[in-house]
């Protein structure tokens, strides 16, 4: 009889697995970072120009959002003391959900604790085991996890490849429910699907479209409503998902959809039912963020100005022409090289993350430059020069 595994054996297994990651240049850790919302952050106490934040519009430190959050804390305290179904919806959350529905042009909206949790919850609640789901191969982990949790049949089509999607849709039995799930702006490369063509295709195959706008809301489309609005397909996308944690400067996910959908989530989504509601400061800040993006065009204009500048500076580089968002990938390939360049940039005073497998496919490691409205022209010019210099050396 083999011995039952001991606790020591378990720890050894963990250690071995981490050592394999180290050997492959894939070991990750959370570095001590201060002021990570700002253009200048402190990494291990050293100032670095921060090109790794999703705070695209600079709203995370906006006085209007801070004031709204502080007021909510003064009025209602810090915690929320129970799940939404147990303790109800606070006024901030009710106002926010009405505002999200108005902004997204949907009948209803539901605020969730995080984008990740919301995505998993929504998909788990809506999908049946017999459904076929067609998902872009590079969709966010939360979208994949939701489909898996629901036990639906998952078909991953090639990234942005509508021909591959069409071929797969065609092969699905006519009688099954079909869903097409995509991000509107992909978080690692800042690239964008052809949404009108995707929606046309889905409709022609009787498939329902779900779009995750996590990285696109705040600065695309009228009032920053995102790429569905910007490309004119908003009304034809049944479920629009998003988060307040990126350009909107706060935290919390949302689903914008017809009321039967949000009511289905409330009644069937375990991630919604069994988690304590978001504390009132966050929906209050989210509501303030929606007010800012709908009334003050300045942060979005500044962000687009910075994107134009980066695009002009990179016009000779292969990725230059493709830049259409604040997420700028610099392809490197090898994980070790990406890590070395990122390390050299850090020494030179720039925080630029290396994105490595398993976040992206093996052999496609890259640097991911994330622009903010609060970067100065000099900071953008300097980081692009520094990257070119380090790329030649590494
Ligand atoms: C960041 C992200 C999420 C998760 O949102 P959080 O609010 O950070 O949990 C979901 N989907 C996509 C596409 C994302 O980029």
């Amino acid at each position: 009889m083999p011995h039952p595994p001991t606790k020591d054996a378990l720890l050894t297994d963990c250690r071995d697995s981490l050592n394999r990651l180290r050997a492959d240049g894939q070991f990750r850790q959370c570095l001590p970072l201060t002021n990570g919302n700002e253009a200048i952050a402190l990494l291990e106490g050293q100032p670095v120009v921060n090109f790794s934040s999703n705070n695209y519009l600079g709203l995370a430190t906006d006085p209007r959002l801070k004031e709204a959050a502080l007021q909510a804390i003064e009025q209602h305290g810090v915690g929320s003391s129970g799940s939404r179904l147990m303790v109800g919806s606070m006024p901030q959350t009710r106002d926010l959900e009405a505002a999200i529905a108005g902004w997204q042009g949907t009948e209803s909206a539901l605020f969730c604790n995080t984008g990740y949790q919301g995505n998993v919850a929504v998909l788990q609640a809506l999908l049946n085991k017999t459904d076929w789901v067609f998902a872009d191969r590079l969709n966010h982990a939360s979208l994949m996890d939701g489909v898996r949790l629901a036990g639906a049949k998952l078909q991953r089509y090639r990234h942005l490849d509508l021909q591959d999607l069409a071929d797969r849709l065609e092969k699905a039995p006519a009688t099954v429910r079909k869903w097409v799930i995509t991000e509107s702006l992909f978080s690692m490369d800042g690239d964008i699907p052809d949404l009108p063509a995707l929606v046309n295709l889905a409709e022609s195959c009787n498939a329902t479209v779900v779009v995750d706008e996590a990285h696109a809301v705040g600065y695309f489309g009228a009032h920053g409503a995102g790429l569905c609005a910007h490309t004119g397909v908003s009304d034809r996308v049944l479920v629009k998902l998003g988060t307040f944690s990126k350009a909107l400067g706060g935290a919390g996910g949302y689903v914008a959809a017809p009321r039967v959908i949000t009511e289905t989530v409330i009644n069937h989504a375990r991630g919604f039912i069994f988690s304590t509601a978001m504390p009132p400061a966050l929906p209050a800040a989210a509501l303030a963020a929606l007010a800012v993006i709908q009334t003050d065009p300045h942060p979005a204009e500044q962000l687009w100005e910075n994107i134009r500048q980066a695009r002009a500076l990179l016009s000779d580089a292969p990725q230059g022409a493709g830049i259409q968002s604040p997420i700028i990938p610099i392809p490197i390939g090898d994980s070790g090289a990406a890590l070395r360049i990122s390390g050299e940039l850090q020494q030179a005073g720039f925080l630029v993350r290396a994105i490595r497998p398993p976040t992206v496919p093996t052999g496609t490691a890259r640097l991911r430059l994330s622009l903010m409205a609060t970067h100065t022209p000099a900071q953008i010019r300097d980081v692009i020069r520094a990257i070119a210099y380090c790329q030649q050396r590494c």
Side-chain angles (χ1 to χ4, degrees):
M1 276 273 284
H3 293 295
T6 62
K7 193 170 75 186
D8 280 350
L10 179 150
L11 294 175
T12 303
D13 286 349
C14 289
R15 229 171 267 124
D16 290 350
S17 152
L18 292 174
N19 284 337
R20 279 195 296 279
L21 288 180
R22 279 193 187 88
D24 294 345
Q26 293 188 6
F27 182 76
R28 299 152 182 244
Q29 54 190 329
C30 304
L31 297 172
L33 186 71
T34 309
N35 294 352
N37 290 325
E38 315 257 13
I40 305 275
L42 293 177
L43 182 62
E44 291 166 332
Q46 295 299 312
V48 284
V49 189
N50 181 8
F51 286 97
S52 74
S53 168
N54 297 325
N55 180 23
Y56 305 120
L57 295 173
L59 296 186
T61 53
D62 189 289
R64 294 165 286 190
L65 274 68
K66 290 203 275 191
E67 182 53 36
L70 287 170
Q71 251 186 33
I73 290 176
E74 288 293 349
Q75 272 179 1
H76 302 286
V78 175
S80 70
S81 75
S83 70
R84 294 275 297 277
L85 285 171
M86 293 299 284
V87 300
S89 300
M90 302 203 188
Q92 284 82 3
T93 308
R94 296 198 302 271
D95 292 349
L96 174 62
E97 289 178 339
I100 296 170
W103 171 60
Q104 287 294 318
T106 52
E107 185 186 8
S108 168
L110 188 70
F111 184 59
C112 305
N113 286 359
T114 70
Y116 182 95
Q117 186 217 42
N119 286 358
V120 171
V122 166
L123 296 176
Q124 177 253 316
L126 292 181
L127 304 179
N128 291 336
K129 278 197 172 48
T130 49
D131 292 359
W132 282 43
V133 174
F134 302 85
D136 189 291
R137 187 166 285 284
L138 296 191
N139 273 355
H140 191 262
S142 57
L143 299 169
M144 297 301 180
D145 292 354
V147 176
R148 292 205 178 100
L149 195 58
K153 183 171 170 62
L154 177 61
Q155 292 263 321
R156 298 171 78 191
Y157 62 89
R158 281 198 297 275
H159 181 49
L160 306 180
D161 186 340
L162 297 189
Q163 188 55 53
D164 188 29
L165 172 60
D167 293 345
R168 289 168 185 272
L169 277 165
E170 206 168 276
K171 290 193 193 106
T175 51
V176 299
R177 300 202 313 186
K178 298 187 262 300
W179 303 78
V180 175
I181 306 181
T182 185
E183 295 181 32
S184 61
L185 176 70
F186 280 84
S187 53
M188 289 303 134
D189 287 337
D191 47 358
I192 292 172
D194 183 342
L195 283 174
L198 182 143
V199 171
N200 285 340
L201 173 61
E203 284 177 352
S204 74
C205 298
N206 201 21
T208 302
V209 181
V210 177
V211 177
D212 182 348
E213 298 249 49
H215 283 274
V217 287
Y219 59 95
F220 270 111
H223 295 150
L227 275 159
C228 290
H230 187 58
T231 59
V233 299
S234 207
D235 294 343
R236 296 158 69 197
V237 173
L238 187 74
V239 180
K240 286 174 282 177
L241 304 165
T243 179
F244 287 90
S245 63
K246 288 156 185 166
L248 294 164
Y254 66 81
V255 46
R259 189 167 307 280
V260 288
I261 299 283
T262 53
E263 285 181 347
T264 299
V265 174
I266 292 170
N267 281 276
H268 290 295
R270 295 165 66 81
F272 180 84
I273 298 168
F274 295 105
S275 188
T276 296
M278 192 71 131
L282 280 306
L287 193 56
L290 287 187
V292 169
I293 61 167
Q294 294 182 83
T295 57
D296 177 4
H298 183 73
E301 282 168 8
Q302 189 56 54
L303 178 62
W304 281 110
E305 188 50 44
N306 288 352
I307 294 168
R308 272 191 291 278
Q309 189 204 350
R311 184 179 176 142
L313 290 172
L314 286 165
S315 59
D316 298 337
Q319 71 277 12
I323 298 170
Q324 45 199 343
S325 84
I327 303 167
I328 302 178
I330 313 278
I332 304 293
D334 178 61
S335 287
L339 213 55
R340 278 196 303 280
I341 297 175
S342 173
E344 290 220 351
L345 286 167
Q346 197 174 307
Q347 294 293 317
F350 300 100
L351 182 57
V352 180
R353 291 287 182 207
I355 309 292
R356 294 164 285 156
T359 308
V360 292
T362 308
T364 69
R366 66 207 65 183
L367 301 175
R368 179 181 182 277
L369 202 60
S370 205
L371 298 179
M372 292 190 278
T374 48
H375 285 129
T376 65
Q379 288 167 340
I380 295 168
R381 184 197 60 212
D382 291 350
V383 75
I384 289 174
R385 277 192 193 152
I387 290 172
Y389 178 75
C390 294
Q391 259 184 303
Q392 279 170 359
R393 283 165 40 101
C394 285

